Amino acid sequence: MADAPQAKPLGPIPPGFGTEAGALTIGGWHVNALIDRAGRTPLFVYSAEALRERVAYLRDTMPAPLRVRYAMKANPFPPLLRLMAGLVDGIDVASGGELRLALGAGMAPARISFAGPGKDDDELALAVSNGVTINVESEGELARALACGRTLGRQPRLAIRVNPSFDLRGSGMKMGGGPKPFGIDAERVPAAIRTVVSEGAEFRGLHIYTGSQSLDGTALAAMQAGVLRLAAALGDAADTDVPELTIGGGFGIPYFHGDRPLDLRPLGTALENELAKVPPRLRGTVFSIELGRYLVGEAGVYLARIVDRKTSHGQIFLVTDGGLHHQLAASGNFGTVVRRNYPVAIASRFDTPASEVVSVVGRLCTPLDRLADSAWLPRAEVGDIVAVFCAGAYGATASPSAFLGHGPAAELLV
Ligand SMILES: *Cc1c(COP(=O)(O)O)cnc(C)c1O
């Protein structure tokens, strides 16, 4: 018999889940009840309670005037989006399709902003005719948005997305910036603002977004302070007040072993201090933060059923009816350099102690389709349910669900 493989650590299971009759509960529901409700696996389940608690924690820790915006590309599932629309102050969309979903979820057009490079004329017209704020990504897009307003006889509401000269990095701000497809380079922003104003559009302010998935509160605070300084300088250079300022986002969640959740209290205090001393240029500004995964990521669980248990060269494989076509990120193929294990559990034996090292794989014919690599888990059989946590963001819609033709996963908000 070959040696049993060394176990590789799993990511931390987020708090808030329970156990009933030995199995995982999500939002108080037993996994079997959830699967019965959905009628099938694989299945994404999102907990409304977890979503509400997360927004409440953010409101509790961040300065009161800070508006919270949901970047819906993290999870556009319509029932979840409707819930989020009632919890947050605004929704950031990144396509015409998302814009229609946000309007359909009941978000007031004046509270929707539209970012993203390459907006086409139809998307610009949809935004202008609905009075949605466009975060302009280039001078070319600015010219087309202004032309669109003239054609429609509507005053476009335009904010400028700035490509700052700094980046958000886990270890602090990386100065130097560089070429990006996003936003207008900071030094050309004052001219763009002047164009917005002189062409009779409504100048809505600045959008400065520097990065995602940071668990480093010090780096985030430094980024926010840098954004405030830059916005004030740009307003001064254009001799224009800044009605609204998106001070970034980037709050991360712990996906991997050793990751620590962000403590928002010191970050909230630091931001409060910064806001208390903003220069005159920003005294009337409405500040907002734009978050995706931080709001929804830990509220979601991906459930898949084990359809085969096999051994190869001494290693045990649990083959599930799910895979990377639904949960690409957990397979390590969405924005990660080194593959590490997400938090994974045997949901149907949630309180059973681990007793063997197994790899949990999907059903796609590619070695990339691995949901957990050499994980220390309770013994599981065909029919058992695997849970992949941190599946609420960049899951169902960020995975190649058409690949191999198994079809999309079910989704449920409970
Ligand atoms: C993707 C994106 C977000 C959300 O990123 P998260 O890492 O999910 O918080 C926010 N703003 C913009 C402009 C984005 O492109």
Side-chain angles (χ1 to χ4, degrees):
M1 195 180 129
D3 285 346
Q6 194 83 38
K8 294 182 182 164
L10 292 166
I13 294 175
F17 297 99
T19 309
E20 185 193 324
L24 172 70
T25 63
I26 305 168
W29 291 75
H30 190 286
V31 278
N32 288 347
L34 293 165
I35 293 167
D36 284 349
R37 245 176 96 169
R40 64 191 171 98
T41 53
L43 166 65
F44 285 93
V45 182
Y46 313 114
S47 160
E49 184 189 7
L51 295 167
R52 286 195 192 94
E53 280 177 5
R54 180 50 60 101
V55 175
Y57 174 64
L58 194 66
R59 299 240 189 240
D60 190 39
T61 49
M62 290 291 119
L66 185 71
R67 305 257 170 102
V68 176
R69 311 179 59 80
Y70 174 47
M72 67 169 280
K73 76 172 188 287
N75 190 330
F77 180 51
L80 178 143
L81 191 62
R82 270 196 298 281
L83 175 69
M84 294 304 289
L87 296 175
V88 298
D89 305 304
I91 292 184
D92 189 58
V93 305
S95 72
E98 285 192 353
L99 176 47
R100 287 190 188 88
L101 285 176
L103 292 168
M107 185 48 83
R111 291 167 172 258
I112 299 173
S113 56
F114 186 178
K119 299 176 195 76
D120 66 29
D121 289 347
D122 289 343
E123 292 175 312
L124 293 172
L126 184 67
V128 172
S129 59
N130 279 286
V132 163
T133 294
I134 298 168
N135 291 325
V136 172
E137 303 267 356
S138 74
E139 285 95 348
E141 187 172 287
L142 172 54
R144 287 190 296 115
L146 292 168
C148 176
R150 285 191 293 272
T151 305
L152 293 172
R154 291 283 300 261
Q155 187 189 35
R157 315 184 81 196
L158 305 179
I160 304 292
R161 180 163 180 185
V162 182
N163 175 24
S165 55
F166 52 82
D167 252 338
L168 171 63
R169 289 285 152 84
S171 56
M173 270 194 318
K174 174 100 184 287
M175 306 301 292
K180 298 258 170 53
F182 312 111
I184 296 178
D185 294 348
E187 55 273 20
R188 298 206 307 270
V189 167
I193 297 174
R194 284 192 289 267
T195 302
V196 170
V197 174
S198 66
E199 294 293 319
E202 183 183 349
F203 176 56
R204 294 302 310 147
L206 300 171
H207 178 269
I208 307 182
Y209 190 83
T210 55
S212 275
Q213 182 50 25
S214 174
L215 293 172
D216 181 342
T218 309
L220 285 162
M223 177 274 288
Q224 292 175 344
V227 164
L228 292 170
R229 275 194 303 277
L230 176 59
L234 294 172
D236 282 344
D239 197 22
T240 315
D241 287 340
V242 180
E244 290 188 29
L245 173 62
T246 302
I247 60 160
F251 294 7
I253 60 173
Y255 287 106
F256 305 117
H257 176 72
D259 283 356
R260 296 267 167 277
L262 268 177
D263 180 358
L264 291 194
R265 276 184 206 284
L267 193 53
T269 306
L271 182 58
E272 189 143 27
N273 292 338
E274 287 294 331
L275 294 182
K277 60 177 198 207
V278 289
R281 190 54 81 184
L282 301 182
R283 296 254 165 88
T285 300
V286 172
F287 300 97
S288 65
I289 187 167
E290 197 175 270
L291 299 168
R293 76 188 72 216
Y294 186 80
L295 297 177
V296 298
E298 289 169 281
V301 184
Y302 176 62
L303 300 173
R305 191 178 293 280
I306 296 170
V307 292
D308 196 12
R309 178 188 165 99
K310 58 185 286 188
T311 304
S312 171
H313 292 280
Q315 295 198 24
I316 301 162
F317 291 88
L318 303 176
V319 186
T320 69
D321 62 0
L324 70 72
H325 54 307
H326 301 145
Q327 193 40 13
L328 184 65
S331 76
N333 295 291
F334 188 71
T336 38
V337 181
V338 179
R339 193 205 174 286
R340 288 179 290 166
N341 284 324
Y342 264 45
V344 169
I346 306 297
S348 44
R349 303 174 191 262
F350 198 53
D351 66 356
T352 305
S355 58
E356 62 180 17
V357 176
V358 297
S359 287
V360 181
V361 300
R363 64 204 315 210
L364 305 193
C365 300
T366 157
L368 299 178
D369 194 6
R370 196 168 281 231
L371 297 173
D373 184 30
S374 303
W376 180 235
L377 289 172
R379 185 183 166 100
E381 306 292 342
V382 169
D384 273 315
I385 302 296
V386 169
V388 180
F389 295 88
C390 293
Y394 307 108
T397 59
S399 304
S401 66
F403 190 35
L404 267 84
H406 290 298
E411 290 179 277
L412 206 55
L413 174 77
V414 293

